[in-house]
Amino acid sequence: MPSLSPAPSFQQAEAASMPTLLSSDLARSLAEAGFLALDQGDWSRARHIFFVLMAFRRESEFPYVGMSMVELLQLRWDAARCWALLGLDQVPGSRALADLREMAAQRGVSS
């Protein structure tokens, strides 16, 4: 009887392969598409695009900036701030995320 060794988890495979599947140019194009969807007020499409980008490029600030902006534009201050904070965990030096965090915090207090 052959021994069955445990198969690698989906998360291990995902972590190993995803960064290599998305080139910098494609990641940039996805980010542009997400920001265009934001500009058109298509929150659902923007959210989906930024989630895909986040799955492939977790270390990029763009998906977190995009998700924070989706929430800001819908006046969801706490959610916007949370996305900015999550992004700052991944990209600690991001000025854009720090600015979004501050903006969301200020607007949340004033509303």
Side-chain angles (χ1 to χ4, degrees), residues 62-73:
F62 293 123
Y64 301 99
V65 167
M67 289 303 297
S68 186
M69 289 179 67
V70 165
E71 302 301 346
L72 272 176
L73 292 169

Side-chain angles (χ1 to χ4, degrees), residues 36-57:
L36 284 172
L38 269 178
D39 187 52
Q40 296 170 355
D42 192 345
W43 318 130
S44 178
R45 181 167 293 161
R47 190 175 278 116
H48 282 89
I49 291 168
F50 290 123
F51 274 135
V52 168
L53 187 56
M54 194 179 305
F56 285 93
R57 290 292 175 121

